[in-house]
Amino acid sequence: MAPANAEPSVDLRLQERAAALAPELTSLRRDLHRHPELAFEEKETSARIARELSALDLEIRTGVAKTGIVARIRGGGTGGGVRRTVALRADMDALPTPDRKKHVDYRSEVDGACHACGHDGHVAMAVGAARLLAERKADLPGDVVLLFQPAEEGIGGAEPMIAEGALDGVDFILGQHMLPSIAAGEVGVSRGPALAAVDEFLLTIHGRGGHGAYPHLTVDAIVVAAQVITALQTVVSRSVDPLDAAVLSIGMVKGGYNFNVIADKVELRGTVRTLSRALRPEMSKRIATIVRGITEAFGARFDLEYIQRYPATINHDSGVELFLGEAQKALGNDKVHLTAPSMGAEDFAYYLEKIPGAFWWIGCRKDDAEDPGYGLHHPTFDLDERCLPVGAHLLAQSALTYLTHGADR
Ligand code: NI
């Protein structure tokens, strides 16, 4: 246990131990990489994690939100009398995409599944942090709860994890994600919003079909859809404060039968991203208003289904300051970046809506001429595995500092 008046400096022993774990973390990550599993199907992944943790004498609950794990390190230290509990979260699902890496021997052995978002690395780093913290369990002045979460991609495993008690008794939460735009050995974090809220809409425009030669007898759903698509581009450009970020993208248009047939129906699907909580509901209202006005003007009808998916991931100042302090001490100020928010989304957002904490980026760019590093979700995405001990250490060190000093120093 650190004395109460200890300087809050980086624990060199922890950093050295993390560096020594590099071979094991790399081998675990590669094993997971060869055997990716999709959302809510992470059975072998979960079993593998449970085996890794079982050697550490933790209280392990499996089958949380189907395949998730909640593992508690019950610290034996007393600290300054205040006992806190911090959660460390790693997602563990892969993406339904092929693995097209060429020059590595740990390619996915599962057809149509690949760890193209680096969640294999997230698991390895969290297992590493668990090991580092379990080694000093007797002196830990609080508890650490490891959350291995299913289904971050699309469906969302965080909400069911919370519903099944993942945050019960937890005061603070920390999480991290690979980011290939930052070099391995460097990290980033955003103050306030880190990732966007993501919504989805399905719009069907109903016209009246007919012969391509007699348009005056029809209501051409394709022409109406074209007006709607164009007008929806004004939602962000004309209705949103330029200093408030939003995205509206239509990713699917489906309609029509033949060159000489006027379509009776067109289906559109799109995504809406926002960073601020206030803007989110305004976007759906504006979209509905535009669609209503245009379809009415052309004598068409519409069905609009608007689905709210993940909220924005908004970091708490206390979590950001805690992480910045630890990262700067461990890596040096020049390796720690304040990053702009991403318009991607993360279901870590749900945890941060319940309790304070932070979500940060672990640089993982792979500068390899043969397999150049591509972005997240790309079929050739790979990571520079030198980032694994960095992430394991920062997760463990931030947790340790939180347990020892709290987050409001
Ligand atoms: Ni991801």
Side-chain angles (χ1 to χ4, degrees):
M1 185 187 76
N5 61 351
E7 274 294 297
S9 62
V10 154
D11 188 329
L12 272 180
R13 211 158 55 84
L14 203 63
Q15 196 165 10
E16 283 163 14
R17 274 295 295 145
L21 287 179
E24 285 170 61
L25 301 186
T26 299
S27 133
L28 171 59
R29 180 260 162 169
R30 290 186 180 189
D31 193 31
L32 296 170
H33 200 85
R34 287 188 189 97
H35 307 105
E37 294 174 298
L38 302 181
F40 288 124
E41 294 170 7
E42 308 92 336
K43 289 198 183 72
E44 293 306 317
T45 305
S46 182
R48 175 71 204 269
I49 296 167
R51 280 202 301 280
E52 294 284 333
L53 299 179
S54 65
L56 304 179
D57 188 28
L58 314 185
E59 296 164 26
I60 301 176
R61 191 152 68 93
T62 57
V64 183
K66 281 193 182 169
T67 54
I69 295 179
V70 176
R72 182 176 288 263
I73 306 174
R74 211 173 276 282
T78 52
V82 185
R83 277 190 72 87
R84 303 177 180 92
T85 299
V86 60
L88 310 180
R89 175 272 210 170
D91 45 9
M92 52 184 188
D93 55 321
L95 279 162
T97 174
D99 186 339
R100 298 227 168 92
K101 288 189 291 299
K102 287 200 176 78
H103 303 281
V104 299
D105 63 3
Y106 48 84
R107 267 186 305 279
S108 168
E109 293 172 13
V110 182
D111 263 354
C114 177
H115 270 295
C117 200
H119 298 188
D120 49 346
H122 302 171
V123 168
M125 295 187 296
V127 166
R131 191 161 305 175
L132 296 171
L133 292 164
E135 284 172 1
R136 46 182 71 205
K137 181 179 162 182
D139 296 330
L140 275 185
D143 291 2
V144 179
V145 174
L146 292 132
L147 304 180
F148 292 93
Q149 180 211 299
E152 194 286 319
E153 298 289 352
I155 315 174
E159 270 193 303
M161 287 283 285
I162 294 168
E164 293 184 32
L167 292 185
D168 290 0
V170 176
D171 306 301
F172 206 74
I173 186 159
L174 304 170
Q176 48 188 8
H177 201 293
M178 297 294 174
L179 191 65
S181 59
I182 299 180
E186 306 188 11
V187 296
V189 69
S190 299
R191 292 191 200 275
L195 291 116
V198 54
D199 297 331
E200 179 182 348
F201 65 87
L202 291 86
L203 171 63
T204 308
I205 291 165
H206 301 278
R208 193 169 58 245
H211 198 299
Y214 313 122
H216 56 297
L217 303 178
T218 71
V219 174
D220 189 340
I222 286 182
V223 170
V224 180
Q227 305 284 337
V228 166
I229 291 167
T230 307
L232 286 181
Q233 299 313 306
T234 67
V235 174
V236 174
S237 70
R238 303 294 87 181
S239 303
V240 174
D241 182 335
L243 298 179
D244 201 354
V247 176
L248 190 164
S249 294
I250 292 168
M252 194 203 83
V253 180
K254 211 161 89 180
Y257 308 100
N258 203 358
F259 79 100
N260 57 357
V261 176
I262 285 176
D264 57 347
K265 185 172 89 166
V266 173
E267 290 170 28
L268 308 164
R269 289 180 71 170
T271 187
V272 175
R273 313 285 173 121
T274 46
L275 287 181
S276 78
R277 290 193 174 110
L279 182 57
R280 191 182 194 191
E282 295 307 314
M283 294 291 286
S284 60
K285 279 188 219 156
R286 188 76 197 124
I287 289 168
T289 303
I290 285 177
V291 171
R292 194 177 309 119
I294 290 176
T295 49
E296 195 187 317
F298 285 92
R301 291 182 302 107
F302 72 96
D303 294 313
L304 178 59
E305 193 185 342
Y306 199 91
I307 307 157
Q308 291 207 331
R309 297 211 180 275
Y310 302 164
T313 302
I314 300 178
N315 277 330
H316 294 242
D317 292 347
S318 56
V320 173
E321 294 312 319
L322 172 77
F323 173 71
L324 278 175
E326 299 309 327
Q328 285 167 349
K329 277 178 269 175
L331 307 174
N333 290 4
D334 59 327
K335 302 278 196 287
V336 182
H337 309 281
L338 275 175
T339 43
S342 156
M343 297 310 280
E346 238 301 331
D347 71 353
F348 195 80
Y350 290 104
Y351 302 112
L352 290 180
E353 286 200 331
K354 300 273 180 204
I355 55 173
F359 189 75
W360 62 77
W361 302 107
I362 294 291
C364 69
R365 186 170 62 236
K366 194 178 181 191
D367 294 316
D368 180 332
E370 288 193 313
D371 257 333
Y374 289 96
L376 296 170
H377 291 208
H378 191 278
T380 62
F381 167 75
D382 200 1
L383 49 93
D384 182 334
E385 290 159 328
R386 286 176 295 181
C387 71
L388 299 175
V390 174
H393 170 241
L394 289 177
L395 209 49
Q397 180 65 60
S398 302
L400 185 60
T401 299
Y402 173 74
L403 293 183
T404 311
H405 301 281
D408 299 313
R409 286 183 292 136

